[in-house]
Amino acid sequence: MKRYRRIFLIVIDSLGIGEMEDAKEFGDEGANTLLHISEAMDEFHIPNLQKLGLANLCSLKGVEPMKQPLGCYTKMREKSAGKDTMTGHWELMGICTKTPFLTFTETGFPKELIDTLEKETGHKVIGNKDASGTAILDELGERSMETGEMIVYTSADSVLQICGHEDEKYFGLEELYRCCKIARKLTLKPEWMVGRVIARPYIGETKGHFKRTSNRHDYALKPSGKTVLNALCDQGYSVLSIGKINDIFSGEGITKALHSNSSVHGMEQTIETAREDFTGLCFVNLVDFDSLWGHRRDPVGYGHELERFDEKLGILMDMLREDDLLMITADHGNDPAFHGTDHTCEKVPLLLWSPGTIRKAGLEEQDTFAVAGATIADNFYVSMPENTIGTSILSEILPE
């Protein structure tokens, strides 16, 4: 059976396609990110995703299913406990997270943690609550600029987020990173352990005009075990990361990392990477879908972002080689027409296509995201690391 030489795995961050069986436990019954985006659009033009079978997985307004999609398509269910970025991405690479990461949405972070953070950073903390990133800037951004205080907040994700103005006369980017590194060390204690500490730099001078910048940085926990990325690296394959993949995996199993300024930029980097000669995996995260549109509950903005992605996708598809495999998926849902501003517990798509040999068929629904990593490992004759999950579907997509 002929194998692929390069695999491009693209995560459209938060593109859920309908509630999971346990959505009720999260208050997410009725969530369907992709459907509700289509319903909000006057016109919805995603011809390349349509050709790959996306509308065959989820009924959409204005986008008809294909009678003969170009490749394989299926849905995947998450097996891990949670609906956040880290559990989703880690599971894609074989790790099943059985214990949810800690969250602090109801009371904010404990006084002992905040007191220690203030002492070690030299900045007084303001905020310390569950909040929207844009709302808390409007509330506290000017005060932070005037006083040098540090805005700390959280969300329904397991995160401690710190805001600081990029201009050094107010706070400074390097100072923000320094404070976040301190917060990451402090939150390694079991009772304070969050999945990520996130630096959230902003610019602007007055309320209503603040803007978060692309200099965000995520300080994540290291994966709880070896992943498919480690296995690929250990066997000498290239593992190229684009977007926040490197942050999510704390650099584990990554041979080269590119930072993206936007999802469009991430696709442009992916297109440039497709011009390079390598053997292995290019792993891409496109975060704007989640951070700019899902969390801000903007279905139209999300829809237009998908249209921009689809245009770049067409360029990428034209560049891929006969022995390349394209995989498109997501890490969780974030229904912009739903209540609250949290992720939503949803199934995700898996679209598979190659300009060379690939079956053209709908596959049975998969019981874990980890089939993605298992399929990649199988393609490169790499053994799955100990304690990982996932069964390859390579034999179903690549005929003898």
Side-chain angles (χ1 to χ4, degrees):
M1 183 168 63
K2 185 179 178 181
R3 308 292 175 110
Y4 300 105
R5 183 163 176 259
R6 304 189 304 177
I7 296 179
F8 293 80
L9 174 59
I10 299 175
V11 178
I12 303 177
D13 202 308
S14 81
L15 189 68
I17 54 172
E19 65 183 58
M20 287 267 293
E21 286 75 6
D22 60 347
K24 184 176 181 180
E25 297 176 18
F26 296 91
D28 291 339
E29 289 178 292
N32 191 320
T33 300
L34 183 58
L35 169 63
H36 293 149
I37 289 165
S38 73
E39 291 176 342
M41 301 290 287
D42 290 334
E43 294 183 3
F44 194 26
H45 189 62
I46 49 171
N48 294 302
L49 286 168
Q50 182 182 17
K51 291 173 187 176
L52 293 179
L54 187 61
N56 294 67
L57 294 173
C58 176
S59 297
L60 301 177
K61 175 192 168 188
V63 183
E64 294 296 322
M66 297 292 293
K67 292 182 179 179
Q68 292 184 316
L70 297 181
C72 291
Y73 52 95
T74 184
K75 297 179 183 179
M76 300 190 296
R77 303 189 296 272
E78 187 169 8
K79 186 165 284 188
S80 297
K83 53 173 181 173
D84 63 22
T85 297
M86 287 176 61
T87 59
H89 280 80
W90 288 7
E91 186 169 320
L92 284 168
M93 291 298 114
I95 291 180
C96 180
T97 304
K98 297 180 180 179
T99 303
F101 295 117
L102 295 177
T103 57
F104 295 89
T105 53
E106 294 185 7
T107 60
F109 297 103
K111 184 178 185 300
E112 183 183 357
L113 170 56
I114 295 299
D115 289 346
T116 308
L117 184 60
E118 289 181 336
K119 180 179 178 181
E120 295 202 13
T121 62
H123 294 275
K124 178 178 172 57
V125 167
I126 54 177
N128 189 25
K129 60 183 179 181
D130 176 16
S132 156
T134 51
I136 205 162
L137 282 180
D138 281 341
E139 178 186 351
L140 299 174
E142 288 181 342
R143 174 175 166 178
S144 175
M145 291 167 62
E146 292 169 0
T147 64
E149 294 170 318
M150 185 166 62
I151 304 170
V152 173
Y153 70 106
T154 189
S155 72
D157 276 359
S158 180
V159 292
L160 185 155
Q161 305 187 79
I162 301 179
C163 291
H165 200 286
E166 283 201 355
D167 194 319
E168 290 184 3
K169 68 182 178 182
Y170 301 125
F171 203 95
L173 193 58
E174 293 307 315
E175 177 65 6
L176 177 61
Y177 292 161
R178 182 187 74 87
C179 293
C180 286
K181 290 175 183 176
I182 291 170
R184 177 70 280 176
K185 290 180 181 178
L186 293 176
T187 54
L188 293 177
K189 292 181 66 173
E191 63 269 30
W192 299 340
M193 191 177 291
V194 294
R196 289 177 293 160
V197 172
I198 305 178
R200 290 287 196 177
Y202 67 98
I203 56 175
E205 299 295 325
T206 57
K207 177 180 178 180
H209 298 281
F210 294 128
K211 181 181 179 181
R212 298 194 297 188
T213 78
S214 62
N215 289 318
R216 159 187 172 157
H217 188 78
D218 292 35
Y219 299 86
L221 291 174
K222 287 186 179 294
S224 56
K226 297 293 185 181
T227 73
V228 171
L229 304 182
N230 298 107
L232 291 171
C233 278
D234 290 346
Q235 294 300 314
Y237 291 103
S238 296
V239 179
L240 315 177
S241 84
I242 294 176
K244 65 177 185 176
I245 295 296
N246 191 60
D247 289 348
I248 294 168
F249 289 89
S250 294
E252 289 288 311
I254 306 294
T255 60
K256 179 182 177 181
L258 297 176
H259 170 76
S260 302
N261 297 327
S262 66
S263 289
V264 169
H265 182 221
M267 282 301 293
E268 291 171 347
Q269 291 171 308
T270 305
I271 291 165
E272 287 303 309
T273 299
R275 301 181 194 277
E276 300 177 9
D277 189 31
F278 68 92
T279 302
L281 173 67
C282 177
F283 195 180
V284 183
N285 173 276
L286 305 175
V287 71
D288 286 353
F289 297 96
D290 187 48
S291 62
L292 293 185
W293 315 116
H295 284 301
R296 297 185 188 180
R297 293 299 183 249
D298 185 346
V300 174
Y302 202 132
H304 289 315
E305 191 75 48
L306 278 171
E307 291 177 331
R308 289 188 288 271
F309 166 77
D310 194 273
E311 182 178 352
K312 297 295 183 184
L313 176 61
I315 297 172
L316 176 64
M317 291 172 67
D318 286 342
M319 293 187 59
L320 294 185
R321 306 168 184 173
E322 293 289 306
D323 56 354
D324 289 338
L325 175 66
L326 174 65
M327 306 173 73
I328 300 174
T329 189
D331 54 341
H332 51 71
N334 197 343
D335 188 339
F338 212 58
H339 58 76
T341 59
D342 185 18
H343 295 158
T344 43
C345 184
E346 296 184 57
K347 300 172 186 178
V348 301
L350 179 61
L351 308 176
L352 305 108
W353 175 79
S354 173
T357 303
I358 192 168
R359 285 182 178 156
K360 297 174 173 59
L363 305 180
E364 290 185 5
E365 189 171 296
Q366 307 298 313
D367 65 357
T368 170
F369 294 179
V371 298
T375 301
I376 293 166
D378 187 11
N379 179 77
F380 292 110
Y381 299 98
V382 168
S383 298
M384 294 285 286
E386 186 177 0
N387 297 322
T388 53
I389 64 170
T391 301
S392 172
I393 57 172
L394 187 66
S395 63
E396 298 181 54
I397 69 172
L398 189 55
E400 297 287 349

